[in-house]
Amino acid sequence: MSETAIEELFRTARHSCRHLETRDAYALDEDYREWAAGERFDPAERWSWWGELVSATVARGVSVQRARIVSEPLSPYVRYEYELTSPHNIKAGEDVRWLPRRQASALALPGNDFWLFDNGSVLFNHFAGDGTMTGEELVTDPAVVRLCASAFVSVWDRAVPHDQYQPF
């Protein structure tokens, strides 16, 4: 995700910023490799730009929600995300929920992760098979926005709040 594009969309959001994640792994970058090697760090300190962006957005009265569809047992990468969610996402002001993949089978979902802003635009995130981000695509087509809004609500309504989710 390009910091410039996402920052602009967050700064202009008026009501909501909603993120749907559907992958069991993303790029295995240096941060992940450190965590996998047992080296823990403060994500709020390491990725302060994100915490500041989300905090400022929430302070303006905009809700920031993140829903993750995950396979169980969790992949090592999703365990990493889970461990960092409270000190990073929740601390910044995000509301995060988890939906076990087996409970998503009957849902109509877009083929890519996305951010939905004010139910008016969608920023799709495109990834290579190894989880490396290959690009973004901003879409305002009303039919695509409706599909993503409906998908997000369907996932959100079934998902478990972070503080209640028990990964295995």
Side-chain angles (χ1 to χ4, degrees):
M1 149 174 54
S2 149
E3 289 181 28
T4 305
I6 201 79
E7 285 175 345
E8 178 63 23
L9 289 163
F10 263 80
R11 286 194 178 102
T12 59
R14 294 174 295 138
H15 307 289
S16 63
C17 304
R18 297 174 168 167
H19 189 39
L20 181 64
E21 296 179 11
T22 62
R23 299 177 56 90
D24 286 322
Y26 295 86
L28 304 181
D29 61 13
E30 183 178 331
D31 296 324
Y32 172 77
R33 288 191 301 274
E34 281 182 31
W35 177 86
E39 299 172 32
R40 298 305 187 250
F41 55 85
D42 180 358
E45 188 177 293
R46 185 164 291 190
W47 306 311
S48 61
W49 76 271
W50 181 255
E52 292 164 7
L53 179 64
V54 172
S55 295
T57 302
V58 171
R60 290 193 340 265
V62 176
S63 70
V64 180
Q65 299 170 308
R66 180 183 302 259
R68 292 177 169 140
I69 299 174
V70 296
S71 298
E72 294 177 322
L74 299 181
S75 70
Y77 190 92
V78 174
R79 282 207 176 277
Y80 160 72
E81 287 187 321
Y82 180 82
E83 185 175 303
L84 298 181
T85 295
S86 286
H88 180 54
N89 306 91
I90 303 291
K91 183 177 181 179
E94 290 185 46
D95 190 0
V96 180
R97 294 188 183 183
W98 303 81
L99 181 65
R101 193 171 306 283
R102 69 179 179 279
Q103 295 176 20
S105 298
L107 301 180
L109 300 170
N112 296 292
D113 290 10
F114 64 83
W115 277 98
L116 174 66
F117 296 93
D118 292 331
N119 288 338
S121 62
V122 176
L123 182 67
F124 285 107
N125 302 130
H126 297 293
F127 298 93
D130 68 358
T132 303
M133 187 164 205
T134 60
E136 301 167 312
E137 177 184 9
L138 185 62
V139 177
T140 57
D141 178 306
V144 174
V145 171
R146 277 193 305 276
L147 168 69
C148 292
S150 174
F152 187 88
V153 168
S154 294
V155 170
W156 191 257
D157 288 348
R158 289 168 177 78
V160 179
H162 177 72
D163 64 349
Q164 296 172 25
Y165 181 66
Q166 297 297 312
F168 68 92

